[in-house]
Amino acid sequence: MARYQAAWRPFPDAAPALDALAARGLRLGVITNGDAAQQRLKVERIGFAGRLPVVVASSEAGAAKPAAEIFLAACAAVGAEPHASAYVGDRLGTDARGAAAAGLTGVWLDRSGGPAPGALDVARITTLDALAPLLQG
């Protein structure tokens, strides 16, 4: 466990993307199917506790992604309506499509950059550098 935790690192594009969104007054947080305590520790250890003050974990929300309830719980936690919220995740079905089904804007972070698997019903980005411009439109 110590080695696993010592390897926690944010992607280089994460801090600038979060800072750009926060500068626009957006409320930010995390939705996770992971262990609540571990995820909060991870956010703190990588230096993002101030950037991501809200962590909504499935174990506490009573539902796991892709269920709508966890996305709605996160919206309530940050005081935002689902239709005015976006969720970015690296899993197409669980994250982006799950968020969209709950009424949020679902964004798939596909760092592979490979060809899209057919027609997509959610936005797709390959780097977080593309997130702020995407959410402006």
Side-chain angles (χ1 to χ4, degrees):
M1 183 59 75
R3 284 187 203 167
Y4 170 66
Q5 291 177 353
W8 289 341
R9 301 276 186 280
F11 281 91
D13 58 351
L18 294 173
D19 291 346
L21 297 174
R24 292 178 27 204
L26 300 178
R27 293 168 297 227
L28 306 173
V30 174
I31 301 172
T32 179
N33 285 349
D35 176 74
Q38 183 182 62
Q39 296 303 309
R40 286 188 179 94
L41 179 62
K42 184 185 298 183
V43 168
E44 181 182 323
R45 289 243 178 111
I46 65 171
F48 282 13
R51 291 179 173 106
L52 299 168
V54 175
V55 176
V56 176
S58 58
S59 60
E60 297 170 340
K65 298 181 292 180
E69 292 83 2
I70 194 165
F71 294 102
L72 300 178
C75 288
V78 297
E81 293 294 322
H83 70 274
S85 301
Y87 180 75
V88 181
D90 63 355
R91 295 194 175 170
L92 176 58
T94 305
D95 294 327
R97 288 185 173 147
L104 291 75
T105 297
V107 180
W108 178 32
L109 176 58
D110 178 15
R111 290 191 182 274
S112 76
L120 290 177
D121 50 354
V122 296
R124 174 183 179 233
I125 58 176
T126 58
T127 174
L128 288 174
D129 296 332
L131 185 58
L134 173 73
L135 296 179
Q136 283 182 339

